Amino acid sequence: MIIFIPVVFMCIDDTCNFMQSQTIYKTEQVCRVAIDVQKMHLANMAKDAGKPTILEGTCIKVEMRSNT
């Protein structure tokens, strides 16, 4: 089984944060939509702190193997 985990990296000035979703997705397309939504949300939240200097996201592909 293959799953996709959304990951976002954001910097405001010299402070950077790495965020990984607790939600997993079965398709990369749905994962990318989730990243776009999260990036918009973070950009709106960051308006008070200043414009993000870096705001990137990607979907990490993980292949789950059966032990049987």
Side-chain angles (χ1 to χ4, degrees), residues 43-68:
N44 286 334
M45 285 179 49
K47 285 181 182 177
D48 293 336
K51 184 178 179 182
T53 53
I54 297 174
L55 182 53
E56 296 292 333
T58 191
C59 292
I60 305 298
K61 180 181 176 180
V62 179
E63 185 173 347
M64 307 293 288
R65 297 187 185 156
S66 174
N67 289 333
T68 59

Side-chain angles (χ1 to χ4, degrees), residues 33-46:
V33 169
I35 285 176
D36 290 341
V37 169
Q38 186 63 23
K39 284 171 65 176
M40 284 190 300
H41 176 70
L42 290 170
N44 286 334
M45 285 179 49

Side-chain angles (χ1 to χ4, degrees), residues 1-58:
M1 175 162 112
I2 295 174
I3 61 172
F4 296 89
I5 302 169
V7 175
V8 177
F9 183 78
M10 181 173 83
C11 296
I12 298 177
D13 298 323
D14 294 334
T15 303
C16 297
N17 290 294
F18 166 85
M19 294 155 270
Q20 174 184 328
S21 176
Q22 293 181 352
T23 304
I24 60 172
Y25 299 93
K26 293 184 179 181
T27 67
E28 187 174 7
Q29 181 181 11
V30 175
C31 180
R32 292 207 175 273
V33 169
I35 285 176
D36 290 341
V37 169
Q38 186 63 23
K39 284 171 65 176
M40 284 190 300
H41 176 70
L42 290 170
N44 286 334
M45 285 179 49
K47 285 181 182 177
D48 293 336
K51 184 178 179 182
T53 53
I54 297 174
L55 182 53
E56 296 292 333
T58 191

